[in-house]
Amino acid sequence: MARDGVILATHADALAQAAARLRAGELVAFPTETVYGLGANARDPEAVARIFAAKGRPPSNPVIVHVADPNGAHAIVAEWPQTANTLAHAFWPGPLTLVLPKHPDIPAIVTAGGSTVAVRCPAHPIARELIRLAGVPVAAPSANRSGELSPTTAAHVARSLGDRVGWILDGGSCPGGIESTVVAVTPDGVKLLRPGLILETQLQEIVGDLIVTEPVSNSTKPLPSPGMLTRHYAPRTALEIVEDEAELLFLMNLYHTAGLKVACWQPKGSPVEVATGLYAELHALDAGGFDRIIAILPPNHDDWQAIRDRLTRAASPE
Ligand code: AMP
Ligand code: MG
């Protein structure tokens, strides 16, 4: 078996060896179409515990279970309602995560002790082949230390977790660039838990209106589900958000007068283009030795919901 480190996914036997590691209870970081995941055998609670230890992830934050093909979801959940089927047909393989009542065989650590489980069939060919070869469902949160920016390249994973994960499968840059959309499928309808690459309007076209939930980051109420931490996706450099250029200039002046080195980020292109580059750009600014990063939020419009959500959480003080 090859030594630990960053392994090119195209290297002969790389996927077979990574799959063997997963079966043996070890961690493997791998590319998906959203961001890099830190994978473990979802049926092995000790293996999943290694994910939490490596990331420093709070035990209250559940992890998504990844399956190689849509039918694999049936063994993860206790119920598979018609709405789940409709959504899976429309968006799988792809960046949509479904939360449903959990199958009794799924260990409690995967769901943070809760009665529901999150399941997704990713579209990335390396992710799918790895899970298929492993022959087990793969629990995988993003492959970064808890709370930090998500990784969209193998180098980002190595920088954040290099000393804590034996194998990083290098499949190049993730095409999507931000995390999956998470929805709960309930008897009352479909509820958006986390905006992501699949837009709310795309979901509405398939299942009609969603159950409205309050935006978590502006709420003082208890969280509607586990794993919706306010501060998340944050660079190590302090990040502030502004709504427009006037606010940006005001802050820049203030900080320059105070002698601080300030970087700016602003959305350039369509929501899909901005999502693809968001974390890579923030990783680069984070490595630039700045005292502050100021980000201009994209317009307060449905199509930009996921980007606004990530930036708002990255800027949250707690
Ligand atoms: P990540 O760490 O980026 O993979 O994010 C996983 C996210 O999926 C969590 O932070 C939750 O938002 C969501 N999630 C996972 N499992 C559940 C669950 N059982 N119920 C509700 N949300 C979940
Ligand atoms: Mg994450």
Side-chain angles (χ1 to χ4, degrees):
M1 185 158 290
R3 283 191 307 123
D4 285 2
V6 178
I7 318 291
L8 275 179
T10 47
H11 190 272
D13 295 335
L15 290 183
Q17 290 193 39
R21 284 182 177 240
L22 285 175
R23 274 197 305 277
E26 293 176 45
L27 302 181
V28 172
F30 60 97
T32 80
E33 74 276 27
T34 61
V35 301
Y36 272 72
L38 181 62
N41 177 357
R43 298 208 178 282
D44 177 349
E46 284 176 24
V48 178
R50 290 190 186 104
I51 295 179
F52 282 84
K55 284 186 58 108
R57 186 175 177 96
S60 57
N61 199 0
V63 290
I64 298 170
V65 177
H66 296 74
V67 292
D69 69 88
N71 287 334
H74 298 173
I76 311 301
V77 301
E79 291 161 31
W80 187 247
Q82 185 55 41
T83 310
N85 215 31
T86 308
L87 286 169
H89 269 286
F91 298 109
W92 281 3
L96 179 70
T97 299
L98 303 179
V99 172
L100 288 153
K102 93 174 185 67
H103 191 286
D105 289 352
I106 295 296
I109 188 170
V110 171
T111 65
S115 60
T116 59
V117 66
V119 63
R120 174 166 104 83
C121 176
H124 198 293
I126 294 172
R128 290 188 77 185
E129 185 62 3
L130 174 67
I131 303 164
R132 193 187 67 76
L133 288 172
V136 293
V138 173
S142 53
N144 54 274
R145 293 195 193 208
S146 188
E148 294 190 352
L149 284 175
S150 296
T152 57
T153 66
H156 295 159
V157 181
R159 217 174 296 147
S160 185
L161 289 177
D163 54 340
R164 298 174 177 207
V165 53
W167 258 47
I168 304 168
L169 271 178
D170 185 353
S173 292
C174 300
I178 60 168
E179 298 78 3
S180 62
T181 303
V182 182
V183 295
V185 180
T186 78
D188 302 330
V190 175
K191 195 189 295 179
L192 184 65
L193 298 180
R194 174 175 76 181
L197 285 172
I198 304 280
L199 304 178
E200 192 171 344
T201 46
Q202 290 176 273
L203 295 169
Q204 282 165 341
E205 278 170 27
I206 305 292
V207 295
D209 280 345
L210 307 187
I211 302 177
V212 178
T213 43
E214 287 205 19
V216 173
S217 40
N218 303 334
S219 166
T220 49
K221 294 189 185 140
L223 300 179
S225 86
M228 301 174 84
L229 308 175
T230 310
R231 182 175 167 81
H232 210 128
Y233 317 111
R236 293 177 189 180
T237 313
L239 183 140
E240 280 177 68
I241 45 176
V242 294
E243 287 284 352
D244 55 39
E245 229 162 90
E247 243 184 287
L248 172 78
L249 289 176
F250 174 79
L251 275 185
M252 295 259 292
N253 267 330
L254 203 70
Y255 290 145
H256 282 153
T257 312
L260 297 183
K261 207 177 149 202
V262 184
C264 300
W265 179 93
Q266 57 185 315
K268 291 195 193 92
S270 68
V272 168
E273 287 162 351
V274 171
T276 300
L278 176 69
Y279 289 134
E281 289 160 20
L282 291 179
H283 274 289
L285 294 179
D286 208 11
F290 294 99
D291 300 303
R292 286 276 192 295
I293 302 170
I294 307 177
I296 305 186
L297 288 173
N300 194 357
H301 179 271
D302 269 359
D303 289 359
W304 290 105
Q305 208 182 359
I307 309 275
R308 285 181 67 94
D309 170 77
R310 301 305 187 272
L311 288 169
T312 306
R313 288 177 201 243
S316 170
E318 52 179 71

